Amino acid sequence: MGSCFSVRIKAESPLHHGADPKSGSKGGYDASGTSSTVPSTPRTEGEILQSSNLKSFSFGELKAATRNFRPDSVLGEGGFGCVYKGWIDEHSLTPARPGTGMVIAVKRLNQESFQGHQEWLTEINFLGQLYHPNLVKLIGYCLEDDHRLLVYEFMPKGSLENHLFRRASYVQPLSWNLRIKIALDAAKGLAFLHSDKAKVIYRDLKASNILLDSNYNAKLSDFGLAKDGPTGSKSHVSTRVMGTYGYAAPEYMATGHLTKKSDIYSFGVVLLEILSGRRAIDKSKPSREQNLVDWARPYLGSKRKVFQVMDARLEGQYSLKDALKAANLAVQCLSTEPRFRPKVEELVKALELLLESNDNEESRGSQSEKPRKRYRSSSNDPKNRRSTKEISAGKAASNPKPTASPLRA
């Protein structure tokens, strides 16, 4: 089953200029690509469409591939529109009978949405030129009359969001190793975007935009908010403030200044969701626990308290040392000072070591760590907040209390 849309909450300020708005995530996918150098970003719609290495589908072809956009073909929906499951021949890319050929996910734009058109074009601009095993593959698009659609590879395991937050009996919780592997895959995708080959700021890193193939390989999706990074001597890109509550970096929300470190903050939020099994913003929780970052921060650097943040479904699957390493990595990403956040290459290295550490312990059959007790989250949040300025083997350093986040639901 593919992933669903997630409705994005936008924060827009008339004081900031630039940018495009955004809505949701998409259906599934499943192939790997190879990284490539991105040519200069085209400026006009015609140049973008002509320069992309994508198939131009007719509306009739996609109508046939999705069985006339039947309701039972819907994978999900959101502000952008609906995502449908379809089938095409993997060689000719023509419509195929259900159950034959290659499965695809078709995202159909709401026809009255001008903002959606800008994001539709942005996705083609970036995914028509960017290829990497940890980026979702865009197969083609449709631009016919008022119809605008995007065609992606299908990701059978859906989104990370569904695996972390669904509590249905038929949903198996992700193991510790799988969670760290997914975080590593996402970091690798982000590292490619931030590299000199791409020079792209993702601006929409969240659990619903991380899609999983049949082997739980993770890929970043939904590039409608992506921006070219700063050029020359510029340190940032000035843009209208947009994003999803709970994920966007506080300095970006306050100033509209977008940098690579904005993505690193968002990665820290996702990593915290992976470790805790909690949503970045959850209105069903008591008021003090609704914002995950604010609630978890006091516990993350403490050997005695870190388990209050960890997902109870992971009990017994990790060592205290690894829990602290992962927690401290999240804290560093969430630093209120962007310069203290690690580079994405450092994230990749730290997660590789963390995954390797747990693999080695399992291969040795180590029984040195007893199964973890389940801890209840405290409703009384300590006032002292801790952080780290280095990725360390479990030692947390003190950090000043962060400024209040402007992100509120």
Side-chain angles (χ1 to χ4, degrees):
M1 182 174 178
S3 79
C4 296
F5 262 134
S6 66
V7 179
R8 175 179 294 117
I9 303 170
K10 286 176 250 179
E12 302 183 6
S13 169
L15 300 178
H16 306 148
H17 44 277
D20 338 285
K22 184 66 183 184
S23 354
S25 115
K26 32 205 158 301
Y29 320 69
D30 170 20
S32 62
T34 54
S35 57
S36 64
T37 302
V38 181
S40 300
T41 305
R43 294 300 177 189
T44 69
E45 179 176 307
E47 288 174 332
I48 290 173
L49 298 180
Q50 290 172 16
S51 67
S52 69
N53 300 308
L54 304 172
K55 175 175 171 59
S56 176
F57 289 89
S58 71
F59 183 71
E61 286 177 317
L62 296 183
K63 190 175 180 180
T66 59
R67 297 181 293 172
N68 198 23
F69 302 103
R70 283 172 45 162
D72 59 358
S73 295
V74 173
L75 297 172
E77 60 182 306
F80 182 103
C82 286
V83 179
Y84 299 85
K85 188 175 184 178
W87 290 264
I88 58 175
D89 183 271
E90 59 183 314
H91 301 295
S92 64
L93 303 185
T94 55
R97 294 192 313 275
T100 66
M102 178 171 64
V103 187
I104 56 172
V106 181
K107 184 159 73 171
R108 186 179 184 184
L109 170 66
N110 288 331
Q111 290 178 269
E112 65 275 9
S113 172
F114 172 75
Q115 293 180 339
H117 172 75
Q118 299 304 311
E119 294 174 18
W120 173 87
L121 197 59
T122 300
E123 288 229 46
I124 294 172
N125 182 33
F126 286 110
L127 289 182
Q129 303 177 99
L130 298 172
Y131 305 95
H132 188 270
N134 299 115
L135 302 186
V136 74
K137 182 180 179 182
L138 181 63
I139 298 170
Y141 64 90
C142 172
L143 174 60
E144 186 176 312
D145 299 326
D146 292 331
H147 302 295
R148 282 155 183 66
L149 302 94
L150 295 169
V151 181
Y152 305 91
E153 54 176 340
F154 180 71
M155 297 287 269
K157 295 298 185 182
S159 72
L160 173 62
E161 177 185 52
N162 288 342
H163 287 272
L164 287 178
F165 308 131
R166 280 189 179 177
R167 292 297 193 267
S169 58
Y170 59 85
V171 178
Q172 282 281 57
L174 295 171
S175 67
W176 170 265
N177 268 15
L178 269 182
R179 295 189 195 204
I180 300 303
K181 178 190 179 300
I182 289 168
L184 174 58
D185 286 348
K188 287 179 177 178
L190 193 61
F192 171 67
L193 294 178
H194 287 185
S195 70
D196 290 338
K197 292 182 179 179
K199 297 181 179 178
V200 171
I201 301 175
Y202 185 28
R203 200 165 56 144
D204 204 20
L205 184 57
K206 56 184 179 180
S208 62
N209 284 346
I210 298 174
L211 303 181
L212 309 174
D213 71 9
S214 57
N215 294 316
Y216 292 93
N217 296 308
K219 303 185 184 186
L220 304 182
S221 69
D222 206 338
F223 281 72
L225 285 184
K227 299 286 289 184
D228 287 313
T231 57
S233 60
K234 294 181 180 178
S235 61
H236 63 268
V237 176
S238 293
T239 160
R240 179 181 299 175
V241 177
M242 321 201 65
T244 305
Y245 287 122
Y247 292 94
E251 77 282 353
Y252 167 59
M253 294 296 290
T255 66
H257 292 173
L258 188 66
T259 70
K260 293 178 182 179
K261 293 301 180 75
S262 306
D263 281 344
I264 300 300
Y265 182 93
S266 301
F267 185 91
V269 178
V270 172
L271 182 56
L272 194 51
E273 289 183 314
I274 288 172
L275 298 177
S276 68
R278 288 175 172 239
R279 294 181 182 274
I281 299 293
D282 190 345
K283 291 298 185 181
S284 70
K285 298 286 185 185
S287 59
R288 292 181 179 180
E289 298 182 23
Q290 290 179 1
N291 185 298
L292 176 60
V293 173
D294 290 346
W295 169 76
R297 199 186 292 271
Y299 303 109
L300 293 174
S302 169
K303 290 182 180 180
R304 291 182 296 106
K305 297 179 180 179
V306 70
F307 295 118
Q308 297 187 49
V309 174
M310 304 299 286
D311 192 336
R313 296 172 296 176
L314 294 173
E315 184 178 2
Q317 297 184 33
Y318 55 87
S319 65
L320 171 60
K321 181 177 72 172
D322 285 350
L324 285 170
K325 284 181 179 179
N328 288 337
L329 184 59
V331 170
Q332 190 178 8
C333 292
L334 296 169
S335 173
T336 53
E337 284 289 342
R339 69 179 184 273
F340 293 149
R341 297 172 199 158
K343 293 180 179 179
V344 69
E345 296 83 4
E346 295 173 310
L347 290 180
V348 170
K349 184 63 176 177
L351 289 166
E352 286 176 338
L353 292 174
L354 190 57
L355 188 60
E356 182 181 323
S357 170
N358 206 61
D359 284 343
N360 287 341
E361 284 192 17
E362 287 189 351
S363 66
R364 289 195 303 266
S366 172
Q367 300 297 321
S368 59
E369 292 291 337
K370 296 180 181 179
R372 303 302 174 203
K373 294 181 180 179
R374 293 176 185 241
Y375 288 83
R376 286 195 181 96
S377 301
S378 171
S379 60
N380 299 316
D381 288 5
K383 293 183 179 179
N384 293 329
R385 303 183 187 274
R386 298 194 175 191
S387 179
T388 55
K389 295 184 181 179
E390 295 178 351
I391 302 169
S392 61
K395 294 184 179 180
S398 298
N399 220 25
K401 185 175 179 179
T403 56
S405 169
L407 306 180
R408 299 185 181 90

